[in-house]
Amino acid sequence: MQLHYQIAGSFKPNAHLIGSETIKTGVELYEDCVPPEEEKDFEKPQRDTSLPYWVIPDTNGKLKGLLHTCRRFELCRDVIMLLSETTPKEYVTHLKERNYTYHIVGKKQINLKNSLELLYSDYKVKKVLADTGRVLGNLLIEQGFVSSISLLIHPVIVGKKSYNMFANLSCRVNLRLTKQELFPGGYILLVYNLSSKS
């Protein structure tokens, strides 16, 4: 994870777009147990304005009781939540009580185009790094919002338990390699620009 965030920071994004399922899985994977909320978790952090926001779509309130783990992360400026008109009212109240900024950007699902336009107009976000799984990631690709893809190759064969990141992508995407870098431990970073879809 340290290498992951080192690479992510090197792109100098204004915001990280992270799926709620990715956050939930990460907390379950890297936290022995979810730490209880403290008084400071109800306040917006005062951090360097050069740090990226963490922008999290969560229409169903999956992250209720988990968001403070994101807010505590020292490389996160603060959390911005993207909700829909059908997001449970009790979750909206939960966010308000904890001073989380949230925006309603869709009827049932998040409207990605409106979300990105809002991030630009309200927060001056020009570069977004999508740090997410296949659902949100593939929607971004299919809707034409992705200019490059960064893949970190690990020196291990997972086998049957492998996670096919692009399994539900409905189009073919042609890529052009723009960067390759070898890291200690045999990790390889590959960065591709998207050249065309079909």
Side-chain angles (χ1 to χ4, degrees), residues 26-43:
V27 170
E28 291 168 354
L29 207 57
Y30 295 104
E31 298 275 357
D32 293 331
C33 63
V34 178
E37 287 183 308
E38 299 173 5
E39 193 174 330
K40 66 179 181 181
D41 294 320
F42 287 66
E43 302 169 5

Side-chain angles (χ1 to χ4, degrees), residues 24 38-39 46 57 62 64 77 82 91 99 102 107 127 141 150-151 173:
K24 189 172 182 292
E38 299 173 5
E39 193 174 330
Q46 301 300 312
K62 281 183 187 176
K64 187 175 182 181
R77 181 172 172 181
L82 302 178
Y91 187 51
N99 293 300
Y102 68 89
K107 294 191 180 295
K127 185 187 287 187
I141 292 170
S150 168
L151 300 173
V173 181

Side-chain angles (χ1 to χ4, degrees), residues 50-72:
S50 68
L51 289 171
Y53 291 106
W54 281 20
V55 181
I56 308 170
D58 188 16
T59 56
N60 298 316
K62 281 183 187 176
L63 298 181
K64 187 175 182 181
L66 298 177
L67 275 175
H68 63 289
T69 63
C70 300
R71 186 173 254 177
R72 288 180 185 183

Side-chain angles (χ1 to χ4, degrees), residues 12-31:
K12 302 196 182 314
N14 307 117
H16 285 223
L17 183 61
I18 313 172
S20 56
E21 193 59 41
T22 298
I23 296 281
K24 189 172 182 292
T25 301
V27 170
E28 291 168 354
L29 207 57
Y30 295 104
E31 298 275 357

Side-chain angles (χ1 to χ4, degrees), residues 5-196:
Y5 283 109
Q6 175 189 330
I7 292 168
S10 72
F11 289 103
K12 302 196 182 314
N14 307 117
H16 285 223
L17 183 61
I18 313 172
S20 56
E21 193 59 41
T22 298
I23 296 281
K24 189 172 182 292
T25 301
V27 170
E28 291 168 354
L29 207 57
Y30 295 104
E31 298 275 357
D32 293 331
C33 63
V34 178
E37 287 183 308
E38 299 173 5
E39 193 174 330
K40 66 179 181 181
D41 294 320
F42 287 66
E43 302 169 5
K44 288 185 172 294
Q46 301 300 312
R47 296 201 180 108
D48 189 333
T49 57
S50 68
L51 289 171
Y53 291 106
W54 281 20
V55 181
I56 308 170
D58 188 16
T59 56
N60 298 316
K62 281 183 187 176
L63 298 181
K64 187 175 182 181
L66 298 177
L67 275 175
H68 63 289
T69 63
C70 300
R71 186 173 254 177
R72 288 180 185 183
F73 192 64
E74 65 274 6
L75 298 177
C76 168
R77 181 172 172 181
D78 197 13
V79 173
I80 299 170
M81 300 301 297
L82 302 178
L83 311 178
S84 71
E85 293 175 12
T86 59
T87 297
K89 299 297 181 213
E90 60 270 19
Y91 187 51
V92 176
T93 301
H94 176 84
L95 297 175
K96 284 181 181 175
E97 290 171 348
R98 288 153 179 79
N99 293 300
Y100 285 104
T101 300
Y102 68 89
H103 298 277
I104 309 292
V105 285
K107 294 191 180 295
K108 289 185 179 179
Q109 302 298 325
I110 299 302
N111 183 309
L112 290 172
K113 182 176 186 291
N114 291 350
S115 300
L116 294 170
E117 287 174 350
L118 179 140
L119 290 173
Y120 177 73
S121 64
D122 289 19
Y123 302 94
K124 309 304 179 219
V125 168
K126 294 181 179 179
K127 185 187 287 187
V128 176
L129 185 142
D131 183 0
T132 188
R134 68 176 157 225
V135 175
L136 178 56
N138 291 343
L139 284 171
L140 289 164
I141 292 170
E142 289 179 346
Q143 293 180 33
F145 298 122
V146 176
S147 60
S148 65
I149 292 177
S150 168
L151 300 173
L152 182 61
I153 310 299
H154 294 236
V156 62
I157 296 173
V158 179
K160 289 182 180 178
K161 294 182 179 180
S162 64
Y163 178 82
N164 187 339
M165 183 69 190
F166 305 105
N168 61 351
L169 197 60
S170 63
C171 59
R172 174 188 167 102
V173 181
N174 296 313
L175 306 173
R176 182 172 55 83
L177 184 65
T178 58
K179 179 179 179 180
Q180 54 189 337
E181 186 174 351
L182 177 64
F183 289 92
Y187 297 91
I188 302 172
L189 172 67
L190 301 174
V191 181
Y192 293 92
N193 280 355
L194 275 68
S195 55
S196 65

